[in-house]
Amino acid sequence: MEKLDAPVLVTRSSLPPLEEYVDMLKPIWDSAWLTNMGVYHEEFKEQLKRYLKLPSLELFVNGHMALELAIQAMELKGEVITTPFTFASTTHAIVRNGLTPVFCDINDRDYTIDADLIERLITDKTCAIVPVHVYGNVCDVEKIQKIADRHHLKVIYDAAHTFGEELDGRGVGQWGDVSMFSFHATKVFHSIEGGAVAFKEKNLKRRLYQLKNFGIMDSETVEYVGANGKMNEFQAAMGLCNLRHVDEAIAKRKKLAMRYRSRLEGIQGIRLCSEDPRVKYNYAYMPVVFDGYKAGRDEIFQALKEKNIHTRKYFYPCVNSYECYKGDFRPEDTPVADRISKQVLTLPLYEDLPVEIVDMVCDIIEETGC
Ligand SMILES: *Cc1c(COP(=O)(O)O)cnc(C)c1O
């Protein structure tokens, strides 16, 4: 097999036709209103509420600020039970709020938090659970809610990977006290950078709104130690454009994901995430676990790289192995997460990925190892 001339990356941002975005710019110039909850901001929020099937939503400049400020808005103290098998943002948002993360292991089917292990980690300091719908795999939301109710804990979902997903026909953001969505350029749906918080409790609306605007209540009163987390009009315009095309983008991804599945399913030593029939997926990622395959994860990564195909060891290392948290946690306490992080590889998957590349990736995987 020949090395590809142009590199294939693990993802590539979807973009609307350029004219569509340019058409959106004129009103911004006419009004000279560039940020601070402008017309597009409000329009984007309304359209998102409908699309995501959510009663309430606040927009943010990015997913991380959305999560960090959502946690701040809950006014918590103490320990937070969360997963180490995630992006840096989840844990950083907890720590930057002065809270202590307590890592719970993941399950071996879909790599979300193992709900059966949560209760034994609860102490009298525990205030919340922060699970992640990792790779778009929806957590065991019912079991998690029961535990939270029993122990009076808040549930804050990192739903960065689950844009547009539904469980039993309900928007996935309807579970938990709050859910954070990310609209980063590399996600299924984006507003260049961007994020949102879905919430239930009515008085969170005002608090979230103020927290993203320096905690300002009115021109003479600053009520909270807030930050600057506002989404600007250029982001909202991109979001509005992309929202028109997102169903088509997800349909294209689904076809490619199905192709990967049909090629890789049933191969000895290769594991794909199990799919839950209750969930409508968005096909954000294509994680593959090499467990007893004739080649190891790093060997496959290297073989693909030599052909100019760049996969990601997503998520490796686990957060509890990060340099910045050195000495604070023991990765041995979450053995499944530790093992999966060393076996998983996320394959290229994006809207306009040619199916020939999918086949080439699968051929290389089949031919690697002896
Ligand atoms: C992308 C991502 C975030 C952060 O979102 P940004 O919009 O990039 O700030 C948080 N958590 C997870 C799991 C993510 O993948």
Side-chain angles (χ1 to χ4, degrees):
M1 214 174 297
E2 289 294 303
K3 181 177 171 181
L4 294 170
D5 292 330
V8 170
L9 305 184
V10 73
T11 191
R12 186 178 159 90
S13 299
S14 295
L15 282 165
L18 179 59
E19 316 76 64
E20 271 189 36
Y21 190 67
V22 171
D23 281 350
M24 300 283 287
L25 299 178
K26 181 76 169 46
I28 301 181
W29 257 256
D30 289 346
S31 68
W33 188 328
L34 310 186
T35 185
N36 285 45
M37 291 58 100
V39 172
Y40 285 152
H41 180 282
E42 295 307 298
E43 175 64 21
F44 186 34
K45 185 164 78 178
E46 289 312 309
Q47 289 198 20
L48 276 175
K49 278 200 251 180
R50 278 198 294 276
Y51 188 86
L52 299 174
K53 300 189 173 177
L54 295 169
S56 350
L57 197 78
E58 268 307 322
L59 297 178
F60 290 83
V61 66
N62 58 51
H64 179 81
M65 283 310 289
L67 183 60
E68 199 172 304
L69 296 176
I71 294 173
Q72 187 180 349
M74 311 293 288
E75 302 184 316
L76 305 167
K77 272 199 181 66
E79 297 173 358
V80 174
I81 297 172
T82 187
T83 164
F85 193 70
T86 182
F87 185 53
S89 170
T90 319
T91 312
H92 288 355
I94 295 167
V95 174
R96 289 169 58 84
N97 268 292
L99 299 162
T100 306
V102 173
F103 290 107
C104 180
D105 210 354
I106 57 172
N107 74 62
D108 208 7
R109 295 180 315 279
D110 62 15
Y111 318 125
T112 60
I113 196 164
D114 188 338
D116 291 330
L117 300 178
I118 292 175
E119 255 179 328
R120 68 189 66 169
L121 297 172
I122 295 175
T123 70
D124 54 6
K125 296 203 190 79
T126 310
C127 57
I129 310 172
V130 178
V132 180
H133 300 305
V134 70
Y135 304 128
N137 295 331
V138 178
C139 297
D140 191 341
V141 291
E142 283 122 352
K143 198 176 275 177
I144 292 169
Q145 194 57 54
K146 275 202 192 112
I147 295 168
D149 290 344
R150 209 156 37 229
H151 299 272
H152 310 290
L153 307 176
K154 298 290 182 191
V155 182
I156 301 159
Y157 280 106
D158 181 334
H161 295 179
T162 37
F163 183 86
E165 291 199 354
E166 293 174 14
L167 176 66
D168 293 332
R170 287 172 63 189
V172 78
Q174 291 184 30
W175 272 270
D177 294 280
V178 299
S179 290
M180 176 277 285
F181 291 91
S182 163
F183 314 139
H184 183 257
T186 57
K187 304 292 207 269
V188 165
F189 167 83
H190 75 88
S191 57
I192 312 171
E193 297 256 12
V197 173
F199 57 94
K200 280 213 187 82
E201 209 188 311
K202 289 221 162 46
N203 63 18
L204 274 181
K205 184 180 176 61
R206 192 176 63 91
R207 219 178 295 155
L208 287 167
Y209 188 94
Q210 282 177 234
L211 283 173
K212 71 175 172 185
N213 192 26
F214 307 99
I216 294 171
M217 181 160 83
D218 59 42
S219 59
E220 295 182 4
T221 319
V222 180
E223 197 179 5
Y224 303 113
V225 184
N228 182 355
K230 303 184 300 298
M231 174 180 281
N232 68 53
E233 288 293 275
F234 295 83
Q235 293 175 284
M238 180 62 88
L240 284 164
C241 287
N242 280 332
L243 205 49
R244 298 175 195 148
H245 304 283
V246 68
D247 285 333
E248 193 190 335
I250 290 173
K252 286 183 180 170
R253 283 171 171 274
K254 180 174 182 176
K255 270 198 180 144
L256 296 163
M258 291 302 153
R259 181 75 183 180
Y260 271 124
R261 272 195 179 267
S262 72
R263 288 283 317 263
L264 299 174
E265 216 153 35
I267 295 179
Q268 173 76 26
I270 290 185
R271 285 200 286 139
L272 308 176
C273 291
S274 56
E275 285 202 14
D276 181 346
R278 294 169 62 194
V279 176
K280 181 181 147 204
Y281 288 97
N282 64 12
Y283 305 93
Y285 301 94
M286 190 65 217
V288 176
V289 166
F290 297 94
D291 184 6
Y293 187 59
K294 61 188 169 120
R297 188 272 306 272
D298 291 347
E299 220 179 316
I300 304 278
F301 173 87
Q302 199 54 37
L304 288 163
K305 192 173 160 189
E306 278 159 21
K307 302 292 182 194
N308 220 357
I309 297 170
H310 304 272
T311 56
R312 286 284 303 278
K313 298 174 189 179
Y314 201 49
F315 294 99
Y316 175 82
C318 282
V319 177
N320 49 5
S321 302
Y322 280 10
E323 196 60 33
C324 59
Y325 296 125
K326 208 173 189 152
D328 294 350
F329 310 105
R330 300 181 342 135
E332 312 89 86
D333 291 344
T334 53
V336 179
D338 194 47
R339 176 167 52 80
I340 296 298
S341 76
K342 290 165 181 154
Q343 295 176 324
V344 72
L345 197 61
T346 303
L347 304 179
L349 181 61
Y350 49 88
E351 186 183 352
D352 293 323
L353 179 70
V355 70
E356 291 74 23
I357 301 289
V358 172
D359 281 330
M360 187 175 164
V361 169
C362 296
D363 289 342
I364 294 166
I365 291 173
E366 282 180 354
E367 287 162 16
T368 305
C370 45

